[in-house]
Amino acid sequence: MPGISDYWAFVAAVLVFLALPGPGTFTLLTATAKGGLRAGTAATFGVIAGDQVLMWLAVAGVAAILQANETLFKALQYVGAAYLVWVGIRLLLVRAGSARPVALKPGHFARQAFLITLMNPKAIMFYMAFFPLFIDAERHQGFVTFAAMAATIAVITLAYCLALCAVASAVGERLRPHRWLAVALQRVAGVALIGFGLRLSR
């Protein structure tokens, strides 16, 4: 790949990054539980859009600004943490009768996943400090190199997240007759998101 020092190591790093449980993972699982595979697919594209924005902002130098301005970075962390806590509280308040697919448009789940990804410090740190390690300074081709990295991340994220949502949807169908269990799982996701939010706010 043009300008990428070790392409397959880069692919492996992206897969490891995706596999680490985080706010994005719980967002995808929650969207699928609430709106089925269609909602999970919409959330997947929201995650991809957020990733692309973060990467190109890093390319544009925003990452360097955030790295140099600790106050600005902390403010971004607090905003992201507050949003995660808010989403988690909403999941905790779900009632047994509402644990079925809801009549929300896919765009709702896409926007939610986009915002959570955009304000996820883990994703920000990845694009600030990690992915530049795979750029070959001698063979770097500017936009072509960054575009190749962006396309790779998008394709891997699409495949991984759709597979995750498909599994979650299949499990959800089996759990659908057991409303109390579906509610319990949503509340577990809510607690996890609140935990992530509180941890990121420190």
Side-chain angles (χ1 to χ4, degrees):
M1 278 292 176
I4 303 176
S5 59
D6 190 334
Y7 181 74
W8 293 112
F10 175 69
V11 169
V14 173
L15 284 171
V16 170
F17 172 75
L18 287 170
L20 292 173
T25 301
F26 285 103
T27 301
L28 290 172
L29 295 178
T30 300
T32 304
K34 295 178 72 174
L37 187 56
R38 187 181 180 191
T41 301
T44 294
F45 283 104
V47 170
I48 292 173
D51 280 339
Q52 293 296 306
V53 169
L54 289 176
M55 178 177 172
W56 287 107
L57 284 177
V59 170
V62 174
I65 296 175
L66 287 176
Q67 199 167 23
N69 192 327
E70 185 178 349
T71 301
L72 180 60
F73 183 67
K74 278 292 183 183
L76 184 63
Q77 283 185 314
Y78 287 136
V79 171
Y83 186 71
L84 290 180
V85 170
W86 179 71
V87 174
I89 291 174
R90 291 188 63 185
L91 290 175
L92 285 179
L93 296 178
V94 68
R95 296 181 179 180
S98 62
R100 60 177 63 90
V102 292
L104 291 174
K105 293 182 179 180
H108 166 82
F109 299 102
R111 286 191 297 273
Q112 187 177 71
F114 174 75
L115 289 173
I116 288 178
T117 301
L118 202 60
M119 296 184 291
N120 180 5
K122 184 181 77 169
I124 294 171
M125 290 303 298
F126 176 78
Y127 292 110
M128 280 177 57
F130 192 59
F131 94 93
L133 298 176
F134 294 94
I135 296 176
D136 188 331
E138 295 182 358
R139 297 188 300 116
H140 184 257
Q141 299 180 26
F143 177 80
V144 174
T145 296
F146 289 124
M149 298 178 85
T152 299
I153 292 171
V155 170
I156 295 174
T157 302
L158 179 65
Y160 177 85
C161 292
L162 287 182
L164 180 65
C165 291
V167 172
S169 179
V171 173
E173 288 297 325
R174 292 180 177 274
L175 295 179
R176 204 168 301 286
H178 308 287
R179 299 293 182 191
W180 65 270
L181 186 55
V183 171
L185 290 176
Q186 286 196 36
R187 287 176 177 166
V188 168
V191 170
L193 287 177
I194 291 173
F196 278 117
L198 294 176
R199 182 177 179 181
L200 295 176
S201 65
R202 293 176 181 176

